[in-house]
Amino acid sequence: MDVLIMILCLAVVLSVLVFIHEGGHYLTSRLFGVRVTEFMIGLPGPRVGFTWHGTKFGVTAVPLGGYARVCGMEPGEESPYLEQTMAFAYEKGTVYLEDVAAHLGISDDDAYHALDELSEWGTLVPPRRKDKHNIYRTPAIKGVRAEGEPSPVADSRAFYESERRQQYRSLPFWKRSVILLAGPVVNLLFAVVAFVLIFSVIGMDVQNTQTGEVFHMTIGPVEAVVAGFSYIGAVVASVAQLFNPATAAQVVDSSVSVVGMAVISKSYLDMGLIYLLYFTAMISVSLGVMNLLPIPPLDGGRFVVEIFQRIRRKEVSLKALNYLSMAGMALFICFFFIMVNQDVQRFVFGNW
């Protein structure tokens, strides 16, 4: 039963923090007029929910973590056939990849690139698993048209420009940077607000180590904010030591994986909801700081790519970005298995 409570407790904490993180991306995207097709709690897969202002909100079959699908974040050069593909697809309502290629006189690969990009834009609905062929459909609009229903475009250029203005890639550098950094920043701000709530509004029971006396203590809001940012600074300094060969092993040794976090979350829950909130704030700081690391596919890594593209005035190729993301994922997977092993030794076998 304790193991189940640990897993459930950590799942709730992480889902809340990922919701906050993705909420930062969602709100800034909508603020800048960028389309967000999905906002889900859980890993991609079967889901239930509702649609509001063009965004599907809901919960997936595996309610751990979450994601916001911001349109137009696909890497690489933009397809030169988007306008023609868009006009043809809306004229027909439902199109096959091969029909698009034949109509435009382009290769199947070029047609696939254009259709796939329009799917990422939210302009077309991509093929479903049950579809036997590459079928793309016009999206449904309540009270206007059903999914896959023809909707001829009078001015293809105006329609293309209207759709493109709702894409992440159409924004200037500073707006794209705000969207990328909003997730980690909101995690850090949540932690500071939580620290103020805990230390200034609610207060915590503190024990005098010399006399054993327990007393309730609160501090001023300014002191709580300072304490919050001091903790963030300490986490930043600790994470920075990962890039120093002399201290990296020590940092990894003192860190915990999801196994350790599950065990610790149960301990804080046993002490009370205020302590669980304190634990959640600490994890929020770690999540925010780690996502700022300049390693793709993290937000910080994507921000570095944006800076590189800004300086070079050239898009980073999809191939190069995939290689960088694979290298980053390999690094994190390596750290993950190392820390899981040490947590199992520490918390399960007591050998650490």
Side-chain angles (χ1 to χ4, degrees):
M1 180 59 74
D2 282 348
V3 173
L4 182 60
I5 294 175
M6 290 178 190
I7 295 173
L8 181 61
C9 184
L10 181 63
V12 170
V13 169
L14 291 181
S15 293
V16 168
L17 294 181
V18 172
F19 174 81
I20 292 170
H21 179 96
E22 297 300 335
H25 294 312
Y26 170 80
L27 291 175
T28 50
S29 296
R30 298 303 299 138
L31 176 65
F32 296 141
V34 175
R35 179 182 290 151
V36 183
T37 54
E38 296 180 22
F39 189 108
M40 294 288 164
I41 298 300
L43 301 178
R47 63 276 177 97
V48 295
F50 62 94
T51 300
W52 182 72
H53 286 258
T55 303
K56 296 178 182 177
F57 295 88
V59 180
T60 69
V62 184
L64 178 62
Y67 63 94
R69 197 177 297 279
V70 180
C71 293
M73 295 191 78
E74 70 283 351
E77 297 288 340
E78 184 177 305
S79 169
Y81 305 107
L82 296 181
E83 181 183 340
Q84 303 96 310
T85 302
M86 197 182 300
F88 179 67
Y90 272 70
E91 179 184 350
K92 299 296 184 181
T94 300
V95 294
Y96 292 86
L97 183 152
E98 294 79 10
D99 292 339
V100 173
H103 178 78
L104 301 183
I106 58 179
S107 68
D108 286 354
D109 285 343
D110 286 336
Y112 174 77
H113 184 193
L115 289 165
D116 187 58
E117 191 166 350
L118 291 175
S119 299
E120 292 290 337
W121 283 22
T123 304
L124 292 177
V125 178
R128 299 185 177 87
R129 289 185 179 181
K130 64 181 181 180
D131 291 333
K132 296 181 179 180
H133 304 282
N134 288 318
I135 304 175
Y136 295 80
R137 304 170 175 87
T138 55
I141 299 179
K142 188 175 182 179
V144 177
R145 66 166 180 262
E147 185 178 288
E149 182 179 325
S151 181
V153 177
D155 187 338
S156 62
R157 170 51 53 171
F159 184 52
Y160 163 75
E161 291 176 350
S162 173
E163 288 295 297
R164 194 177 190 280
R165 281 194 297 270
Q166 300 179 68
Q167 309 305 315
Y168 168 87
R169 64 163 59 233
S170 72
L171 299 178
F173 169 76
W174 75 269
K175 288 186 177 181
R176 288 190 287 184
S177 299
V178 170
I179 290 175
L180 287 176
L181 300 179
V185 169
V186 169
N187 277 128
L188 299 179
L189 291 178
F190 165 79
V192 172
V193 171
F195 286 139
V196 171
L197 179 64
I198 293 168
F199 294 126
S200 296
V201 179
I202 301 174
M204 295 186 72
D205 292 330
V206 179
Q207 184 177 36
N208 187 316
T209 55
Q210 296 181 343
T211 64
E213 180 185 3
V214 177
F215 58 94
H216 195 73
M217 185 184 75
T218 58
I219 60 176
V222 175
E223 294 173 283
V225 170
V226 171
F229 279 103
S230 296
Y231 180 76
I232 292 173
V235 173
V236 170
S238 178
V239 171
Q241 292 179 357
L242 280 172
F243 298 91
N244 183 349
T247 57
Q250 181 181 354
V251 174
V252 173
D253 181 63
S254 60
S255 301
V256 294
S257 68
V258 290
V259 175
M261 285 191 288
V263 174
I264 296 171
S265 66
K266 173 65 166 51
S267 300
Y268 277 95
L269 178 62
D270 290 341
M271 290 188 287
L273 293 179
I274 300 303
Y275 290 90
L276 183 61
L277 176 61
Y278 180 66
F279 170 77
T280 303
M282 292 191 295
I283 298 300
S284 188
V285 171
S286 298
L287 180 63
V289 172
M290 291 298 293
N291 264 282
L292 288 174
L293 289 177
I295 304 173
L298 299 177
D299 295 327
R302 295 187 67 103
F303 177 58
V304 170
V305 170
E306 289 288 350
I307 293 175
F308 178 81
Q309 292 178 154
R310 174 71 172 179
I311 295 173
R312 292 289 303 275
R313 297 187 181 279
K314 182 180 179 182
E315 291 278 342
V316 174
S317 69
L318 176 60
K319 185 176 181 180
L321 192 56
N322 283 340
Y323 279 137
L324 289 172
S325 297
M326 287 171 61
M329 288 301 298
L331 178 63
F332 287 119
I333 289 173
C334 180
F335 279 131
F336 174 80
F337 282 111
I338 290 174
M339 289 189 292
V340 166
N341 175 66
Q342 71 181 27
D343 280 349
V344 170
Q345 296 295 326
R346 178 188 293 139
F347 295 108
V348 178
F349 299 110
N351 297 329
W352 207 270

